Amino acid sequence: MSLSPLRRLGHRINNAPYLLLSITALLWACNMVLGRFVAGQIPPISLACLRWAGATLILLPFSYKQVLEDWPLVRRNWLILVLLSACGIACYNAMSYYGLQYTQALNGLLVQSASPLLIALWSLLLFRDRLSKGQIAGIIISLLGVVVIVSRGDIDVLLHLKPNVGDIWIITALLIYAFYAANLRVRPPMRSLSFLTVIMGMGAVLLIPFALWEIAQGHILHFNRTTLSVLAFVMTAPSLLAYMAFNRGVELVGANRAAPFFHLMPVFGSALAILVLGERLEWFHGVGYALVIAGIATATRARAAAPA
Protein backbone atom coordinates (compact mmCIF):
# COMPACT_ATOMS: atom_id res chain seq x y z
CA MET A 1 0.00 0.00 0.00
CA SER A 2 1.42 3.39 -1.03
CA LEU A 3 1.94 6.05 1.58
CA SER A 4 0.03 9.31 1.59
CA PRO A 5 1.95 12.48 0.55
CA LEU A 6 2.06 13.62 4.18
CA ARG A 7 3.49 10.31 5.36
CA ARG A 8 6.06 10.33 2.55
CA LEU A 9 7.12 13.83 3.59
CA GLY A 10 7.39 12.75 7.23
CA HIS A 11 9.47 9.72 6.21
CA ARG A 12 11.85 11.90 4.19
CA ILE A 13 12.30 14.39 7.02
CA ASN A 14 12.85 11.59 9.54
CA ASN A 15 15.68 10.29 7.38
CA ALA A 16 17.27 13.67 6.64
CA PRO A 17 19.72 14.03 9.57
CA TYR A 18 21.18 17.39 8.60
CA LEU A 19 17.75 18.96 8.22
CA LEU A 20 16.75 17.54 11.62
CA LEU A 21 19.91 18.92 13.25
CA SER A 22 19.38 22.34 11.65
CA ILE A 23 15.81 22.44 13.00
CA THR A 24 17.18 21.49 16.42
CA ALA A 25 19.65 24.38 16.38
CA LEU A 26 16.92 26.86 15.40
CA LEU A 27 14.55 25.76 18.15
CA TRP A 28 17.28 25.71 20.80
CA ALA A 29 18.38 29.19 19.77
CA CYS A 30 14.80 30.35 20.34
CA ASN A 31 14.86 28.61 23.71
CA MET A 32 18.03 30.46 24.78
CA VAL A 33 16.58 33.82 23.73
CA LEU A 34 13.32 33.15 25.58
CA GLY A 35 15.18 31.84 28.64
CA ARG A 36 16.91 35.18 28.89
CA PHE A 37 13.71 37.08 28.09
CA VAL A 38 11.81 35.62 31.08
CA ALA A 39 14.76 35.80 33.51
CA GLY A 40 13.31 37.21 36.72
CA GLN A 41 9.75 36.26 35.76
CA ILE A 42 10.02 32.46 35.83
CA PRO A 43 12.49 30.87 38.30
CA PRO A 44 14.97 28.73 36.34
CA ILE A 45 14.42 25.36 38.02
CA SER A 46 10.64 25.80 37.96
CA LEU A 47 10.89 26.67 34.27
CA ALA A 48 12.85 23.49 33.53
CA CYS A 49 10.57 21.32 35.67
CA LEU A 50 7.35 22.68 34.16
CA ARG A 51 8.85 22.45 30.68
CA TRP A 52 9.51 18.74 30.92
CA ALA A 53 6.40 17.87 32.91
CA GLY A 54 4.26 19.63 30.33
CA ALA A 55 6.12 18.09 27.40
CA THR A 56 5.67 14.61 28.90
CA LEU A 57 1.92 15.12 29.36
CA ILE A 58 1.57 16.42 25.80
CA LEU A 59 3.46 13.46 24.33
CA LEU A 60 1.99 10.73 26.53
CA PRO A 61 -1.34 10.27 24.65
CA PHE A 62 0.65 9.55 21.47
CA SER A 63 3.36 7.40 23.05
CA TYR A 64 1.78 5.46 25.92
CA LYS A 65 1.33 2.31 23.81
CA GLN A 66 5.02 2.34 22.91
CA VAL A 67 5.95 2.97 26.54
CA LEU A 68 3.87 -0.02 27.67
CA GLU A 69 5.41 -2.25 25.01
CA ASP A 70 8.93 -1.07 25.87
CA TRP A 71 8.42 -1.22 29.63
CA PRO A 72 10.50 -4.43 30.04
CA LEU A 73 13.38 -2.54 28.41
CA VAL A 74 12.82 0.38 30.77
CA ARG A 75 12.94 -1.88 33.82
CA ARG A 76 16.12 -3.62 32.64
CA ASN A 77 17.87 -0.40 31.69
CA TRP A 78 16.51 2.04 34.26
CA LEU A 79 19.97 3.08 35.45
CA ILE A 80 21.23 4.26 32.03
CA LEU A 81 17.88 5.95 31.40
CA VAL A 82 18.10 7.85 34.69
CA LEU A 83 21.67 8.85 33.83
CA LEU A 84 20.70 10.09 30.36
CA SER A 85 17.70 11.92 31.78
CA ALA A 86 19.70 13.56 34.56
CA CYS A 87 22.37 14.78 32.13
CA GLY A 88 20.40 15.64 28.98
CA ILE A 89 17.10 16.74 30.52
CA ALA A 90 17.30 17.80 34.16
CA CYS A 91 20.79 19.21 34.78
CA TYR A 92 21.47 20.75 31.39
CA ASN A 93 18.26 22.73 31.15
CA ALA A 94 17.99 23.85 34.77
CA MET A 95 21.62 24.97 34.81
CA SER A 96 21.30 26.76 31.46
CA TYR A 97 18.22 28.66 32.59
CA TYR A 98 19.99 29.53 35.83
CA GLY A 99 22.99 30.83 33.91
CA LEU A 100 20.75 32.98 31.73
CA GLN A 101 19.69 34.86 34.86
CA TYR A 102 23.18 36.37 34.91
CA THR A 103 24.34 36.59 31.30
CA GLN A 104 23.02 37.76 27.96
CA ALA A 105 21.40 35.42 25.47
CA LEU A 106 24.18 36.19 22.97
CA ASN A 107 26.80 35.11 25.50
CA GLY A 108 24.84 31.91 26.07
CA LEU A 109 24.69 31.24 22.33
CA LEU A 110 28.43 31.91 21.99
CA VAL A 111 29.23 29.50 24.82
CA GLN A 112 27.19 26.84 22.97
CA SER A 113 29.94 26.88 20.35
CA ALA A 114 32.07 24.83 22.73
CA SER A 115 29.63 21.91 22.35
CA PRO A 116 31.32 20.17 19.37
CA LEU A 117 34.65 20.08 21.17
CA LEU A 118 33.08 18.82 24.40
CA ILE A 119 31.16 16.09 22.58
CA ALA A 120 34.35 15.07 20.76
CA LEU A 121 36.19 14.95 24.10
CA TRP A 122 33.59 12.69 25.72
CA SER A 123 33.43 10.48 22.60
CA LEU A 124 37.20 10.05 22.74
CA LEU A 125 37.32 9.36 26.49
CA LEU A 126 34.36 6.98 26.55
CA PHE A 127 34.45 5.24 23.17
CA ARG A 128 37.88 6.04 21.71
CA ASP A 129 36.26 7.98 18.86
CA ARG A 130 38.66 10.37 17.19
CA LEU A 131 37.87 13.34 14.99
CA SER A 132 39.20 13.10 11.46
CA LYS A 133 41.22 15.96 10.00
CA GLY A 134 38.21 16.99 7.95
CA GLN A 135 35.94 17.05 11.00
CA ILE A 136 38.49 19.12 12.95
CA ALA A 137 38.80 21.54 10.04
CA GLY A 138 35.01 21.83 9.81
CA ILE A 139 34.66 22.61 13.50
CA ILE A 140 37.39 25.26 13.32
CA ILE A 141 35.92 26.92 10.22
CA SER A 142 32.41 27.05 11.65
CA LEU A 143 33.76 28.28 15.00
CA LEU A 144 35.49 31.13 13.14
CA GLY A 145 32.12 32.02 11.66
CA VAL A 146 30.60 32.20 15.13
CA VAL A 147 33.45 34.44 16.28
CA VAL A 148 32.92 36.80 13.33
CA ILE A 149 29.20 37.10 14.09
CA VAL A 150 29.59 37.62 17.83
CA SER A 151 32.50 40.05 17.49
CA ARG A 152 30.67 41.94 14.74
CA GLY A 153 33.91 41.79 12.77
CA ASP A 154 35.77 43.81 15.42
CA ILE A 155 38.58 42.20 17.39
CA ASP A 156 38.13 44.76 20.18
CA VAL A 157 34.71 43.28 20.94
CA LEU A 158 36.32 39.91 21.63
CA LEU A 159 39.03 41.46 23.76
CA HIS A 160 36.40 43.09 25.98
CA LEU A 161 34.19 40.01 26.37
CA LYS A 162 34.26 39.05 30.04
CA PRO A 163 32.89 35.73 31.30
CA ASN A 164 30.64 35.92 34.35
CA VAL A 165 29.02 33.43 36.69
CA GLY A 166 26.20 32.85 34.20
CA ASP A 167 28.64 31.82 31.47
CA ILE A 168 30.32 29.38 33.87
CA TRP A 169 26.97 27.78 34.70
CA ILE A 170 26.17 27.36 31.00
CA ILE A 171 29.61 25.91 30.23
CA THR A 172 29.14 23.39 33.04
CA ALA A 173 25.69 22.54 31.70
CA LEU A 174 27.17 21.98 28.23
CA LEU A 175 29.83 19.68 29.61
CA ILE A 176 27.05 17.56 31.13
CA TYR A 177 24.95 17.69 27.96
CA ALA A 178 27.93 16.63 25.84
CA PHE A 179 28.15 13.52 28.04
CA TYR A 180 24.48 12.83 27.22
CA ALA A 181 25.03 13.33 23.48
CA ALA A 182 28.07 11.05 23.39
CA ASN A 183 26.20 8.32 25.30
CA LEU A 184 23.09 8.27 23.11
CA ARG A 185 24.66 5.33 21.29
CA VAL A 186 24.18 3.14 24.39
CA ARG A 187 20.51 4.00 24.89
CA PRO A 188 18.23 0.95 25.11
CA PRO A 189 16.70 -0.17 21.78
CA MET A 190 13.42 1.64 22.48
CA ARG A 191 11.19 3.41 19.97
CA SER A 192 11.89 7.12 19.70
CA LEU A 193 8.62 8.35 21.25
CA SER A 194 8.89 5.83 24.06
CA PHE A 195 12.48 6.80 24.83
CA LEU A 196 11.71 10.52 24.77
CA THR A 197 8.64 10.15 26.99
CA VAL A 198 10.56 8.15 29.60
CA ILE A 199 13.60 10.44 29.84
CA MET A 200 11.47 13.60 29.84
CA GLY A 201 9.23 12.22 32.59
CA MET A 202 12.23 11.12 34.62
CA GLY A 203 13.80 14.55 34.16
CA ALA A 204 10.70 16.31 35.45
CA VAL A 205 10.57 14.03 38.50
CA LEU A 206 14.27 14.59 39.23
CA LEU A 207 13.72 18.36 39.16
CA ILE A 208 10.71 18.41 41.53
CA PRO A 209 12.70 18.50 44.83
CA PHE A 210 14.89 21.33 43.52
CA ALA A 211 11.87 23.26 42.24
CA LEU A 212 10.23 22.94 45.68
CA TRP A 213 13.44 24.18 47.30
CA GLU A 214 13.46 27.12 44.89
CA ILE A 215 9.88 28.01 45.83
CA ALA A 216 10.74 27.74 49.52
CA GLN A 217 13.47 30.34 48.91
CA GLY A 218 10.79 32.76 47.74
CA HIS A 219 11.30 32.39 43.97
CA ILE A 220 7.72 32.01 42.80
CA LEU A 221 6.35 31.87 39.27
CA HIS A 222 3.77 34.55 38.54
CA PHE A 223 1.37 33.48 35.81
CA ASN A 224 0.54 36.08 33.17
CA ARG A 225 0.17 36.20 29.41
CA THR A 226 3.93 36.38 28.84
CA THR A 227 4.94 33.55 31.15
CA LEU A 228 2.12 31.28 29.94
CA SER A 229 3.07 31.89 26.30
CA VAL A 230 6.73 31.12 26.99
CA LEU A 231 5.82 27.96 28.91
CA ALA A 232 3.57 26.77 26.07
CA PHE A 233 6.37 27.30 23.55
CA VAL A 234 9.19 25.66 25.53
CA MET A 235 7.00 22.64 26.34
CA THR A 236 6.54 21.92 22.64
CA ALA A 237 9.08 23.28 20.15
CA PRO A 238 12.48 23.18 21.96
CA SER A 239 11.41 20.13 23.97
CA LEU A 240 9.34 17.69 21.94
CA LEU A 241 10.30 18.68 18.40
CA ALA A 242 13.94 19.57 19.01
CA TYR A 243 14.80 16.55 21.16
CA MET A 244 13.11 14.14 18.75
CA ALA A 245 15.03 15.75 15.89
CA PHE A 246 18.36 15.76 17.76
CA ASN A 247 18.08 12.18 19.00
CA ARG A 248 17.17 10.99 15.50
CA GLY A 249 19.97 13.01 13.92
CA VAL A 250 22.57 11.54 16.28
CA GLU A 251 21.13 8.08 15.65
CA LEU A 252 21.64 8.53 11.90
CA VAL A 253 25.09 10.18 11.74
CA GLY A 254 26.65 9.90 15.19
CA ALA A 255 27.51 12.46 17.84
CA ASN A 256 30.69 13.83 16.25
CA ARG A 257 29.02 14.55 12.90
CA ALA A 258 26.03 16.11 14.66
CA ALA A 259 28.11 18.32 16.95
CA PRO A 260 29.07 21.08 14.43
CA PHE A 261 25.39 21.94 14.04
CA PHE A 262 25.56 23.58 17.48
CA HIS A 263 27.40 26.38 15.67
CA LEU A 264 24.14 27.21 13.91
CA MET A 265 22.68 28.43 17.20
CA PRO A 266 24.51 31.79 17.22
CA VAL A 267 23.67 32.11 13.51
CA PHE A 268 19.97 31.64 14.17
CA GLY A 269 20.19 33.79 17.30
CA SER A 270 21.61 36.73 15.38
CA ALA A 271 19.05 36.21 12.60
CA LEU A 272 16.27 36.30 15.19
CA ALA A 273 17.68 39.56 16.53
CA ILE A 274 17.53 40.98 13.00
CA LEU A 275 13.99 39.79 12.34
CA VAL A 276 12.43 40.29 15.77
CA LEU A 277 14.44 43.08 17.35
CA GLY A 278 14.96 45.10 14.19
CA GLU A 279 18.75 44.89 14.12
CA ARG A 280 20.42 45.64 10.78
CA LEU A 281 21.92 42.97 8.53
CA GLU A 282 25.64 43.79 8.33
CA TRP A 283 28.57 42.44 6.29
CA PHE A 284 29.90 40.38 9.20
CA HIS A 285 26.61 38.46 9.38
CA GLY A 286 27.08 37.29 5.80
CA VAL A 287 30.74 36.35 6.35
CA GLY A 288 29.92 34.52 9.58
CA TYR A 289 26.97 32.63 8.09
CA ALA A 290 29.09 31.56 5.12
CA LEU A 291 31.91 30.29 7.37
CA VAL A 292 29.53 28.36 9.63
CA ILE A 293 27.83 26.69 6.66
CA ALA A 294 31.19 25.92 5.01
CA GLY A 295 32.49 24.44 8.26
CA ILE A 296 29.44 22.25 8.74
CA ALA A 297 29.66 21.06 5.13
CA THR A 298 33.35 20.21 5.61
CA ALA A 299 32.71 18.32 8.85
CA THR A 300 29.73 16.34 7.59
CA ARG A 301 31.46 15.29 4.38
CA ALA A 302 34.66 14.23 6.10
CA ARG A 303 35.26 10.56 6.71
CA ALA A 304 35.18 9.43 10.31
CA ALA A 305 38.54 8.66 11.86
CA ALA A 306 39.41 5.16 12.94
CA PRO A 307 38.93 4.47 16.67
CA ALA A 308 41.94 5.29 18.83
Side-chain angles (χ1 to χ4, degrees), residues 4-43:
S4 66
L6 187 60
R7 284 181 175 271
R8 284 200 299 270
L9 177 62
H11 179 75
R12 288 179 180 177
I13 293 175
N14 195 48
N15 289 280
Y18 303 135
L19 174 60
L20 293 172
L21 294 168
S22 299
I23 292 172
T24 300
L26 172 60
L27 296 178
W28 282 348
C30 294
N31 181 59
M32 293 291 288
V33 173
L34 286 175
R36 175 59 184 170
F37 178 70
V38 297
Q41 300 182 63
I42 306 179

Side-chain angles (χ1 to χ4, degrees), residues 37-306:
F37 178 70
V38 297
Q41 300 182 63
I42 306 179
I45 302 177
S46 297
L47 176 56
C49 185
L50 290 173
R51 171 186 177 181
W52 295 117
T56 304
L57 293 176
I58 293 170
L59 185 58
L60 197 56
F62 305 97
S63 63
Y64 75 94
K65 289 184 179 179
Q66 288 189 11
V67 174
L68 291 176
E69 292 172 1
D70 287 340
W71 195 249
L73 284 171
V74 175
R75 293 180 61 183
R76 287 198 299 270
N77 299 277
W78 66 270
L79 187 58
I80 184 63
L81 288 170
V82 169
L83 180 64
L84 291 174
S85 178
C87 294
I89 301 295
C91 291
Y92 168 67
N93 290 276
M95 294 171 71
S96 294
Y97 287 142
Y98 185 81
L100 287 170
Q101 307 282 310
Y102 301 99
T103 191
Q104 296 180 351
L106 190 58
N107 279 38
L109 290 166
L110 174 60
V111 169
Q112 294 282 344
S113 300
S115 299
L117 300 177
L118 296 177
I119 292 174
L121 176 62
W122 279 119
S123 297
L124 175 62
L125 292 176
L126 297 173
F127 304 106
R128 300 293 185 90
D129 287 352
R130 296 184 301 178
L131 290 172
S132 68
K133 292 181 180 178
Q135 289 173 325
I136 294 173
I139 290 175
I140 293 173
I141 293 170
S142 57
L143 183 58
L144 284 175
V146 172
V147 170
V148 169
I149 294 170
V150 173
S151 68
R152 308 178 74 84
D154 187 350
I155 192 66
D156 286 338
V157 174
L158 288 179
L159 295 177
H160 290 87
L161 278 178
K162 295 181 179 179
N164 57 37
V165 65
D167 297 331
I168 294 172
W169 273 96
I170 294 176
I171 290 173
T172 306
L174 285 173
L175 184 63
I176 294 172
Y177 188 83
F179 180 83
Y180 161 82
N183 276 284
L184 276 176
R185 70 181 68 187
V186 299
R187 58 174 262 194
M190 301 165 60
R191 269 75 62 88
S192 58
L193 291 184
S194 173
F195 173 72
L196 193 58
T197 303
V198 169
I199 64 169
M200 288 193 312
M202 286 180 172
V205 171
L206 290 172
L207 286 168
I208 288 175
F210 301 96
L212 293 176
W213 172 84
E214 186 178 61
I215 293 171
Q217 299 300 307
H219 304 290
I220 300 174
L221 165 62
H222 298 284
F223 291 99
N224 53 49
R225 182 178 299 178
T226 299
T227 57
L228 289 174
S229 298
V230 170
L231 283 172
F233 179 81
V234 300
M235 286 177 184
T236 51
S239 303
L240 294 177
L241 299 180
Y243 268 73
M244 282 192 289
F246 180 75
N247 290 347
R248 177 60 174 166
V250 173
E251 180 183 347
L252 291 173
V253 300
N256 278 339
R257 286 188 184 275
F261 283 81
F262 280 92
H263 287 153
L264 283 175
M265 291 179 62
V267 171
F268 287 134
S270 62
L272 287 170
I274 293 169
L275 294 174
V276 178
L277 302 179
E279 295 187 6
R280 293 176 56 189
L281 180 64
E282 303 282 358
W283 66 268
F284 53 81
H285 290 117
V287 173
Y289 297 164
L291 285 171
V292 170
I293 293 171
I296 290 173
T298 301
T300 53
R301 291 182 179 182
R303 292 184 178 181

